[in-house]
Amino acid sequence: MHHDRIVTERRLARVLDLRLRPAVYRESLPLDIAAWTVPGEPVPVSEGIGAPYEPVRTGTPWGPAWSTTWFRISGTVPAGWAGQRVEAVLDLGFGATQPGFSAEGLVYRPDGSPVKALNPRNAWLPITERAEGGEQFVYHIEAAANPVIFDSGSGDDPFVPTPAGGVPPWLSGETAPGTPLYRLNRMDLAVFDPTVWELVQDLDVLSGLMHQLPEDSTRRWQLVHAVDRALDAIDLQDIGGTAERARDVLAPALASPAHAGAHRVSAVGHAHIDTAWLWPVRETVRKAARTVSNVTALMDDHPGFRFVMSQAQQLAWLKEQRPEVFARVVEKVRTGQFIPTGSLWIEPDTNLSGGESLVRQFVHGKRFYLEEFGVETEDMWLPDTFGYNAALPQLMKLAGIKWFLTQKISWNATNSFPHHTFWWEGIDGTRIFSHFPPVDSYNGDLSGADIGHTERNFRDKGPANRSLVPFGYGDGGGGPTREMLARARRLENLEGSARIEMEGPAEFFTKAQAEYTDAPVWSGELYLELHRGTLTSQLATKQGNRRSEHLLREAELWSATASLRTGLPYPYELLDRVWKTVLLHQFHDILPGTSIAWVHREAEAVYAETARELGEVIDSAQRALAASGADGAAGETVFNAAPHTRDGIPALGASPRERAARPVEPRPAPGGGFVLDNGLVRVTVDARGLITSAYDLAAGREALAPGTFGNLLQLHQDFPNQWDAWDVDAFYRNTVRDLTEADEVVAVPGGVRVVRGFNASRITQVLRLGEDSRRLDVETDVDWQECEKILKAAFPLDVRAAESSAEIPFGHVRRPTHTNTSWDSARFEICAHRYLHVEEPGWGAALVNDSSYGHDVTRDVRPDGGTTTTVRLSLLRAPLFPDPDCDRGEHRLRYGLVIGAGLRDAVREGYHFNLPERAVPGGAPVEPLVRLAGGTAADVVIETVKLADDRSGRVVVRLYESAGGRARATLRAGFPLAAAQITDLLERELTDEPAPVVEGQDVQLTLRPFQILTLCLTPGE
């Protein structure tokens, strides 16, 4: 007979959606409902349960944006339902949006213990497994009215600017309650039919598999016929009575085993919960409680279910604020079902976070898992961040990590990454076994589409045959569902499909590494060819982070010094708390500037408080040091927290100021404008405030290319195709407005002030040149009122630079300045921390900054045969989504051009620019706790000096080789030295490293290129 496959597939889809899924609940009746609206921020569970409820009914509107409503549901199981499973079906007003992006709820028993969460993909509540009839019940629902700010499945533009992400009225001083967002759709008690539900899962899996198989494959046609016969077996007027018959028809198709060479999939439950994004941090605490309540309840019914949670901060919140939920985590960790993973405090942005911050991400993450669960995590799980710096492999190894997992590189817009399983090699040569799940998602659902795509997409077929799928609803949380677990069970060994095995990351990586013994190597950074705008969006957040990182360095350094020298108590608890706060705000949707306005306004307030607290710690320690042994000496002591000597002040030490370095005074230039000349370099500023010359007097050469201007401010249209705050698309360069007109160019004490007004914005800059410095500083105040623009500062340099060297954590990366390949061309916006350096043999220049990360470098050959290498900083953006006021307002930032700079100069000036001197009353010099000397010590940088976390009084010194070559140096302790150990990042001795050679107070060091070394020094008597 003839058979039309498409007819059967369409028939199946219609019967599933319109008849079978609704028939899972064959009888229902309405529940009794009452509600109480919280007048402000969320309240404790006990207060919500004990609140004064008022009766409501389905159809009732509720929930102004960001508000909370508590619902009480109650009822009695009818006697006629005896012997059946009874559930409540609770639709709070869910739309066709993703879980965790709209209305959400957490259900509690009257005693306050959580049951499970509610969201658009999980709207059921168990009442009784086998009803006796007459059971009475009461539950409470904490319902969150989170506005839908982004909905990629809506069919409309998901990037429409909206004020919904602003601070809610009750926190901003307003009292207007706002318009309700949701309406109670269904609050019913219902009989659950397990046979119909299982039939739905059978057909769901076979449908998904059918659509993934080739149209002419035998297996697909076998499934088509099996489905056709099963549909014939169903009486649509008696689905419950005929469902078992249909399942019997399908049983042989579901029992046919996969072939021996089928792809192996390790499926692990996951719920990527953004620590903030389209919701504030406080809502993430509740999202974590909802998701964990869901997955631990599933574990009770599914012993083989494995679930990973990768952010220690979220578990710490549960421990502190929701101990009853955390107790369930502890229980399931013991059974091996709940797997702490990832080794990080939160999932940070790894482009923008500083080196020591990344160290502390590992330290605090791994310590939490060790202390709370006794688990030593061995993987770095970071699926969703916007690029991965090339220092990470070494940091992972030093934290005791063997394996790395991410997914985001699959989002590359230009080049497809060539591997899914490989060794990732960092700038120092460290290699980490790595995996990119070929499912191309960290929110998989184990559908036929997921599994089919996984097998087809896997790029290492042949030598390898194993991949990992993280499944469960994420971003806004939710996690796996019982439907996903049903799919996993059916796909364990099913013909035509990959084999699925439920197991954790360690099991997967162990098997994958044993199987793929000659996996390929990828060397260098993992650059994401997308989301380049994250290097610039939300300047205030980035400034807060950068300044907090340097303040923490100072607070630890001076507190450790004061503790050893004066006995001042070391502020362990404060530093621990502040570090965790800073690490939290390095989350990959906060620091990159891609969260709603509420998140960023809150971050700015947090950074201000952090600066206040750390400023007090630094001031207290410095005053104690400056006063010690002063014998009444007057004057002031100047502290230098930088790792390089400055103006005669030792690195990491202090001394009385003899003479302060001052900026040179401008003198008029012929024809208008001004000249800044200190005998080392001469900078000429014309009447328009443009730098027309930056002359290196010692080298006898001009830094700027002929006919160009330095510090040229350029304004581009910046309207990417999507992901506004995230993206800068290459076509932004097609149009540019050079800001060459000045409202004012005048000499001021120690510099030249230039004021430029454009559109509704205004920029005031002061150009300064220190009397003994090669660095021209540009102090910039901006009143930024632009819309969908990006502001750049350009320096066209007369240098033929084949590469640029950009600072990353604990070193630098070199990137070509040409665009020979599509990989080179795609890096049109790059990340640099404190410096970006370009050079040709014998001469170079560097840009340093105090808060900018986005840069671009281009190279052109001029008609005269010379080469112009243009280096630009990205200063400000003005995207409208998700924060329509992103960056609008007043900003202060600094950057500088170092003329005639080698790489060593760039490293030094980057630190000096970000760690200004501090002067306090007193006249006592302060000998550094440690100093470097000898050999190639100038290339060794001391990043951190602190006291050991175990409170033993040991001094921890973290240093690294900064130039990319071998280095020998002597580390001299400024105190009696009893012993020295090389440790991992958690300050545990590394036995596989040669013991350091200690000679008196000296420790002899030999470092590999870019090697990071952590030393624990035990003071002697």
Side-chain angles (χ1 to χ4, degrees), residues 17 60 76 145 216 411 612 748 796 845 853 959 986:
D17 289 341
T60 299
T76 302
D216 58 354
W411 286 40
R612 185 195 65 78
V748 296
Y853 294 90
L959 46 81
L986 278 73

Side-chain angles (χ1 to χ4, degrees), residues 634-648:
E636 62 180 10
T637 300
V638 181
F639 288 80
N640 175 23
H644 308 88
T645 300
R646 172 167 49 190
D647 296 334

Side-chain angles (χ1 to χ4, degrees), residues 633-802:
E636 62 180 10
T637 300
V638 181
F639 288 80
N640 175 23
H644 308 88
T645 300
R646 172 167 49 190
D647 296 334
I649 304 167
L652 315 179
S655 65
R657 187 190 296 277
E658 296 180 1
R659 177 180 174 275
R662 294 173 296 180
V664 298
E665 296 298 328
R667 68 171 190 264
F674 301 93
V675 174
L676 300 170
D677 188 336
N678 64 3
L680 298 174
V681 297
R682 182 177 62 238
V683 177
T684 303
V685 182
D686 72 7
R688 295 173 298 172
L690 302 172
I691 299 173
T692 57
S693 174
Y695 197 80
D696 185 339
L697 294 168
R701 64 173 289 170
E702 174 63 52
L704 299 180
T708 66
F709 307 112
N711 192 39
L712 176 64
L713 297 176
Q714 298 181 299
L715 196 66
H716 295 269
Q717 184 70 47
D718 180 23
F719 184 59
N721 287 341
Q722 57 181 350
W723 298 107
D724 296 33
W726 291 257
D727 282 356
V728 171
D729 286 341
F731 54 74
Y732 87 90
R733 296 175 296 186
N734 297 345
T735 56
V736 61
R737 175 185 172 187
D738 293 341
L739 303 180
T740 58
E741 300 303 316
D743 299 335
E744 179 182 76
V745 180
V746 297
V748 296
V752 177
R753 184 174 68 214
V754 181
V755 180
R756 304 186 192 280
F758 56 96
N759 302 334
S761 301
R762 185 178 179 86
I763 299 178
T764 301
Q765 295 188 310
V766 178
L767 284 61
R768 300 188 191 276
L769 179 65
E771 57 187 355
D772 298 315
S773 175
R774 289 180 166 274
R775 190 184 77 214
L776 174 70
D777 293 350
V778 183
E779 302 169 358
T780 304
D781 289 281
V782 187
D783 182 3
W784 182 248
Q785 302 297 335
E786 300 305 300
C787 175
E788 295 172 341
K789 297 290 193 296
I790 184 170
L791 179 68
K792 295 251 183 181
F795 291 85
L797 302 173
D798 188 11
V799 58
R800 183 170 176 79

Side-chain angles (χ1 to χ4, degrees), residues 23 116 177 206-207 263 330 353 358 404 518 724 803 826 929:
K116 67 179 294 290
L206 293 179
S207 173
H263 186 67
V330 174
S353 300
L358 292 172
F404 171 61
D518 59 344
D724 296 33
E803 300 171 314
L929 281 186

Side-chain angles (χ1 to χ4, degrees), residues 19-347:
R19 293 293 183 268
L20 299 187
R21 295 189 200 278
V24 168
Y25 295 106
R26 62 170 179 260
E27 293 182 71
S28 65
L29 54 85
L31 292 165
D32 293 326
I33 319 165
W36 173 66
T37 299
V38 179
E41 284 296 274
V43 299
V45 174
S46 59
E47 185 176 341
I49 290 176
Y53 287 79
E54 296 290 336
V56 296
R57 62 183 65 187
T58 54
T60 299
W62 68 278
W66 304 121
S67 70
T68 301
T69 297
W70 281 81
F71 294 103
R72 185 180 65 213
I73 59 172
S74 58
T76 302
V77 178
W81 292 3
Q84 303 182 82
R85 178 180 172 93
V86 178
E87 296 182 350
V89 183
L90 306 171
D91 184 342
L92 301 176
F94 304 136
T97 187
Q98 302 176 49
F101 279 56
S102 65
E104 300 175 77
L106 183 54
V107 182
Y108 300 89
R109 301 177 184 89
D111 65 2
S113 59
V115 183
K116 67 179 294 290
L118 304 171
N119 63 50
R121 302 289 187 275
N122 202 332
W124 59 277
L125 175 70
I127 300 298
T128 176
E129 186 66 32
R130 187 176 181 84
E132 296 179 358
E135 297 99 323
Q136 295 182 335
F137 59 88
V138 176
Y139 290 97
H140 296 79
I141 306 168
E142 182 187 21
N146 298 332
V148 179
I149 293 171
F150 170 84
D151 184 3
S152 60
S154 67
D156 301 319
D157 182 1
F159 307 101
V160 175
T162 171
V167 178
W170 55 86
L171 289 179
S172 58
E174 302 175 22
T175 56
T179 303
L181 299 178
Y182 301 107
R183 186 181 301 273
L184 291 180
N185 284 340
R186 183 179 182 186
M187 307 290 273
D188 286 350
L189 192 65
V191 174
F192 176 85
D193 190 324
T195 304
V196 175
W197 187 86
E198 294 289 357
L199 175 61
V200 168
Q201 310 317 310
D202 291 344
L203 290 170
D204 172 81
V205 165
L206 293 179
S207 173
L209 178 57
M210 279 194 309
H211 285 86
Q212 297 306 308
L213 293 169
E215 292 184 5
D216 58 354
S217 73
T218 300
R219 175 62 167 163
R220 181 161 182 169
W221 279 99
Q222 289 171 345
L223 295 181
V224 168
H225 281 268
V227 166
D228 219 22
R229 293 194 304 272
L231 294 177
D232 288 342
I234 301 170
D235 181 346
L236 296 182
Q237 278 65 55
D238 184 18
I239 292 174
T242 57
E244 191 65 48
R245 185 169 66 197
R247 293 202 72 203
D248 290 341
V249 173
L250 294 175
L254 287 164
S256 184
H259 66 81
H263 186 67
R264 303 281 180 147
V265 171
S266 298
V268 59
H270 176 50
H272 180 67
I273 305 175
D274 283 317
T275 300
W277 179 28
L278 306 180
W279 45 85
V281 170
R282 65 90 155 146
E283 191 59 25
T284 306
V285 181
R286 300 204 293 180
K287 287 178 179 290
R290 294 178 199 125
T291 297
V292 168
S293 297
N294 265 353
V295 299
T296 52
L298 280 174
M299 289 170 186
D300 291 339
D301 298 329
H302 302 272
F305 172 40
R306 299 291 181 269
F307 177 83
V308 298
M309 197 159 179
S310 58
Q311 302 188 72
Q313 169 68 90
Q314 294 179 6
L315 292 171
W317 279 330
L318 295 183
K319 181 185 177 184
E320 296 160 5
Q321 302 182 38
R322 301 302 308 273
E324 73 285 3
V325 178
F326 187 72
R328 291 280 279 159
V329 173
V330 174
E331 173 193 342
K332 297 305 182 181
V333 169
R334 289 175 181 153
T335 67
Q337 295 171 279
F338 196 109
I339 306 171
T341 195
S343 306
L344 297 160
W345 186 245
I346 51 92
E347 292 183 5

